[in-house]
Amino acid sequence: MSGDVLVRMVDVRKSFSRFEGSLEVLRGVTLDIGKGESVAVVGVSGAGKSTLLNILGGLEHASEGNVIIGGSDLRDMSSRELAYYRNESLGFVFQFHHLLPEFTALENVMMPALIGRVVPAEARERATEILTELGLEDRLGHKAGELSGGEQQRVAIARAIIMEPALILADEPTGNLDAATGAMVEDILLGLNREKGITLLIVTHNEALAHRMNRVIRIRDGRIESIEEGSKG
């Protein structure tokens, strides 16, 4: 593990109440992730991968256990503090880009900065710079429906990093892309980890992508089954 611990999960459990009884999705997950590390989480559908990601993102609460990010326990945060944490410290990238269709690529990327009370001129400058770095300088004024799948995902990545987060959480970020475009998105995410030191946690079924990470965490039936070293490339 590289550097200091950024993410610490201690005996994290998550259950959902159903008519026929409680469903336990996470069953005592304990895990440390270092600052600047890249980690893949893999496992079959229903293993608990996305639930783990949602808990780390403050979108769901753990039923038991501690989730500590940057020294702060998420269970001690108010709703307002969690919203601030998600906007300032996290970047989310999902399989489906979730861009706002009525806004341009530039406006979509500016949104987290505007929510974070960055002045509009600076937000626009930041968004333009990031989109240009991702090869989208000719697409700033295009709406989501006018962009290819790969372009939409690059806009989503730009939106995720505009607030310079310490941690990116990605859920199947290449799952909806063809092989060539998916490889490009992989390279962008791993480049952000390598060049900017952003900690990267990716949930994926893609074994080739998983093994490009520092570590591969395999989850089965809500528990960590194994931890493997990746190729770091």
Side-chain angles (χ1 to χ4, degrees):
M1 182 185 304
S2 61
D4 300 328
V5 173
L6 176 66
V7 176
R8 172 160 287 163
M9 305 183 76
V10 182
D11 197 24
V12 172
R13 300 172 183 273
K14 178 65 178 180
S15 298
F16 294 95
S17 296
R18 303 191 303 176
F19 178 76
E20 59 270 32
S22 179
L23 173 66
E24 193 173 20
V25 178
L26 294 181
R27 305 180 181 188
V29 172
T30 295
L31 175 66
D32 283 355
I33 300 174
K35 291 180 180 178
E37 192 177 11
S38 61
V39 175
V41 178
V42 300
V44 299
S45 296
K49 305 183 304 298
S50 293
T51 298
L52 183 149
L53 205 70
N54 288 340
I55 289 173
L56 286 176
L59 300 174
E60 296 179 17
H61 293 289
S63 302
E64 298 179 35
N66 300 88
V67 181
I68 302 166
I69 312 285
S72 299
D73 196 323
L74 297 192
R75 71 178 180 178
D76 294 332
M77 293 184 183
S78 66
S79 297
R80 184 172 183 176
E81 288 169 334
L82 280 171
Y84 181 84
Y85 158 71
R86 285 191 294 267
N87 193 62
E88 297 286 331
S89 300
L90 288 184
F92 289 96
V93 181
F94 299 102
Q95 178 175 356
F96 300 99
H97 50 79
H98 297 300
L99 299 180
L100 298 172
E102 65 270 29
F103 294 108
T104 65
L106 181 63
E107 291 165 341
N108 268 280
V109 176
M110 289 173 62
M111 201 66 65
L114 296 175
I115 292 171
R117 298 182 182 272
V118 175
V119 297
E122 183 181 346
R124 178 175 293 273
E125 183 178 350
R126 282 192 204 178
T128 300
E129 181 178 346
I130 294 168
L131 287 166
T132 298
E133 288 177 359
L134 296 180
L136 294 170
E137 61 272 19
D138 295 332
R139 295 289 188 267
L140 303 182
H142 289 65
K143 294 184 178 180
E146 300 170 322
L147 303 173
S148 69
E151 288 170 340
Q152 291 171 350
Q153 196 65 310
R154 278 184 281 166
V155 172
I157 292 170
R159 180 182 58 190
I161 66 173
I162 190 170
M163 296 299 286
E164 299 180 350
L167 174 65
I168 288 179
L169 302 176
D171 195 352
E172 297 288 359
T174 64
N176 200 39
L177 303 174
D178 62 73
T181 306
M184 177 183 63
V185 169
E186 289 177 22
D187 289 343
I188 290 170
L189 289 170
L190 289 166
L192 291 168
N193 167 255
R194 184 173 56 250
E195 296 161 17
K196 296 184 181 293
I198 298 174
T199 303
L200 185 60
L201 180 67
I202 295 181
V203 165
T204 184
H205 286 99
N206 184 332
E207 288 285 343
L209 169 58
H211 283 282
R212 296 184 68 185
M213 315 287 278
N214 294 141
R215 288 189 295 160
V216 182
I217 312 295
R218 296 193 181 276
I219 291 187
R220 182 183 178 90
D221 296 329
R223 297 184 176 92
I224 293 179
E225 182 179 45
S226 66
I227 299 177
E228 307 165 12
E229 292 294 317
S231 67
K232 302 179 178 67

